[in-house]
Amino acid sequence: MNYILVFILLLPLKWIRKLFHKKEGRNLVIQTAKIGDFVNITPLLTHLQHSDALLSRTVAPLAQHDDTLQQIWYIEDHKSGLLAKIRLALQLMNRYDNVYLLHPNNLNLFYAACCNAANKRFLSHYRRKWYQGLFYWTADSVVQHEKNTLTLENYLKLADPTLTKEHYSKHATQPLYPLAPVPATLQRQDGIRIGLSISAGNQAKTIPPSVWKRLFDRLADLPCLFYVFGAPSEMHRLQELYKVVGERENIISLIGAIPLEGLPHAISMMDFYIASDSGNVYIADAVGVPVILIYGPCCVEEQRPLGDVLLIGPDHIAPSSFVFAALYQFHHPAEQLYALDSRKLDDIYAFIAARQPKRLCQTKPH
């Protein structure tokens, strides 16, 4: 509610400054969520060709290597107090002619509403509050997002209602930023390279070690090399995994070894990627790697990889975590949400085997 009061106080200045607004055709895209959400806005960025963006600093290593982006504002740089937020609002006010609001929380709505753009298009969703109506009143058009509609597609519809997910591919960096030097372990050719995320930004979406053990055991007769990706803070997750599965030669830790800007290149060297709903599965999808998504409580109708993907979900448990209504604890234990029974394990095995016929033939005894 405080942002509404500040917006009302700024209205006289906003109207005066609008008289001096010069049209230059500049675009502003506002999406301050994390890695997976950034990857999902890249089709819109490609369609717009050149844009400025208000983003989270979390995605800076990717965004700064995106040739569709020009000036980037980071939301964290302007959160030190109300005056800092007002200064950013004044900087954005007369700069843009087209504003696309993809992440409509209160602060982002405030920034978008302050802009004197002639064309302002806002996403609205199932958690919209009544008091946000004043901000939406400033929009020229609104796209309604529901839990059963695809976020990526609705982002595109902000620019053009006829666009669908088939029109543009995702990217993580554009062009693909090279990882240098490439670790020798990533250059191995003696197995099927499978990337893993054993944790997620939302820790409640972490797949338990016991589930990974069932997967490793089912794939034991395939020449798999399991590459564990993650930030340095996830090392304890690897130790927990080792306690259950043991330290195996074919489990290769890359935790803390790959900078975020080089992560898309590193993941592009995988043959497959397996994870719960995390940023890395969207990076893998963006670089054309087949994905096995063990999605647990998440709603895959709303957001999911769109390429070559195998979706593995829980039995008889309705989705409870959504893009704009994320939960950080669930009614069901992780062992049940991410459980892999024999049928699901067979599906994963078949998905991998069907895409690696040459490599599998080379490993068979003559």
Side-chain angles (χ1 to χ4, degrees):
M1 292 289 285
N2 288 339
Y3 294 119
I4 291 179
L5 297 177
V6 176
F7 176 70
I8 292 172
L9 291 173
L10 289 177
L11 273 176
L13 178 60
K14 171 180 162 65
W15 290 332
I16 292 171
R17 292 190 64 185
K18 188 172 184 178
L19 299 175
F20 303 95
H21 178 63
K22 296 180 180 179
K23 294 184 178 180
E24 298 178 350
R26 299 176 69 175
N27 302 318
L28 175 66
V29 175
I30 302 176
Q31 167 58 283
T32 56
K34 306 306 180 184
I35 293 172
D37 302 281
F38 172 75
V39 172
N40 281 317
I41 74 169
T42 57
L44 173 64
L45 297 178
T46 300
H47 173 75
L48 297 176
Q49 297 183 352
H50 299 290
S51 305
D52 293 358
L54 178 61
L55 305 172
S56 167
R57 188 163 283 283
T58 303
V59 305
L62 301 178
Q64 66 189 4
H65 297 293
D66 189 326
D67 62 9
T68 68
L69 290 175
Q70 298 173 311
Q71 181 166 354
I72 303 173
W73 311 82
Y74 294 113
I75 194 77
E76 293 85 352
D77 297 345
H78 306 275
K79 281 191 170 182
S80 58
L82 183 58
L83 287 178
K85 294 170 185 174
I86 292 174
R87 280 195 296 269
L88 178 57
L90 295 176
Q91 287 179 285
L92 300 177
M93 189 173 286
N94 265 14
R95 187 180 292 263
Y96 299 103
D97 295 308
N98 306 292
V99 174
Y100 303 92
L101 175 60
L102 284 61
H103 185 192
N105 59 24
N106 286 340
L107 181 55
N108 291 343
L109 278 163
F110 166 71
Y111 286 133
C114 283
C115 290
N116 281 326
N119 176 36
K120 297 201 295 188
R121 305 189 179 193
F122 295 2
L123 192 75
S124 179
H125 58 67
Y126 39 82
R127 292 196 70 187
R128 176 172 164 177
K129 307 298 184 183
W130 66 267
Y131 57 79
Q132 295 173 338
L134 177 61
F135 294 142
Y136 279 98
W137 173 75
T138 71
D140 295 280
S141 66
V142 175
V143 170
Q144 184 63 42
H145 173 73
E146 304 293 348
K147 292 177 180 177
N148 62 349
T149 55
L150 196 64
T151 50
L152 181 149
E153 206 155 60
N154 282 341
Y155 296 157
L156 282 167
K157 291 184 184 303
L158 289 172
D160 184 339
T162 67
L163 293 177
T164 67
K165 62 183 184 295
E166 283 77 25
H167 282 91
Y168 295 98
S169 300
K170 291 180 287 188
H171 61 265
T173 60
Q174 184 169 285
L176 187 65
Y177 185 76
L179 175 64
V182 176
T185 54
L186 279 175
Q187 302 180 53
R188 290 178 59 174
Q189 299 293 325
D190 56 331
I192 301 171
R193 292 168 294 190
I194 301 178
L196 308 177
S197 289
I198 59 173
S199 184
N202 179 350
Q203 293 298 300
K205 297 179 183 179
T206 295
I207 298 173
S210 59
V211 175
W212 288 116
K213 185 178 188 304
R214 284 183 58 82
L215 178 62
F216 294 160
D217 291 347
R218 180 63 183 89
L219 300 179
D221 63 337
L222 298 180
C224 296
L225 299 172
F226 298 105
Y227 290 85
V228 182
F229 290 83
S233 60
E234 297 176 40
M235 185 58 73
H236 73 286
R237 294 288 185 186
L238 182 62
Q239 298 305 319
E240 292 172 1
L241 180 67
Y242 284 151
K243 289 178 183 178
V244 174
V245 306
E247 295 192 25
R248 308 185 183 192
E249 290 185 359
N250 68 336
I251 298 179
I252 302 157
S253 174
L254 293 174
I255 291 180
I258 308 295
L260 181 54
E261 61 268 25
L263 189 59
H265 184 193
I267 290 178
S268 74
M269 302 176 72
M270 298 293 103
D271 297 308
F272 300 92
Y273 205 93
I274 306 176
S276 61
D277 185 65
S278 64
N280 282 10
V281 297
Y282 294 101
I283 291 177
D285 192 42
V287 295
V289 173
V291 168
I292 298 166
L293 175 64
I294 307 174
Y295 59 84
C298 299
C299 180
V300 291
E301 288 185 328
E302 184 179 24
Q303 189 156 281
R304 64 185 182 275
L306 297 175
D308 189 4
V309 58
L310 175 64
L311 300 174
I312 301 288
D315 294 326
H316 313 299
I317 299 177
S320 56
S321 186
F322 304 91
V323 172
F324 298 104
L327 296 181
Y328 296 90
Q329 56 183 1
F330 303 103
H331 296 300
H332 300 85
E335 288 77 10
Q336 185 178 358
L337 289 172
Y338 297 101
L340 296 178
D341 59 21
S342 297
R343 176 184 58 81
K344 294 173 185 176
L345 290 167
D346 289 346
D347 288 345
I348 294 172
Y349 186 102
F351 183 83
I352 293 172
R355 288 155 180 77
Q356 291 291 314
K358 292 183 180 179
R359 193 185 297 273
L360 294 176
C361 288
Q362 290 171 358
T363 63
K364 291 181 180 178
H366 295 288

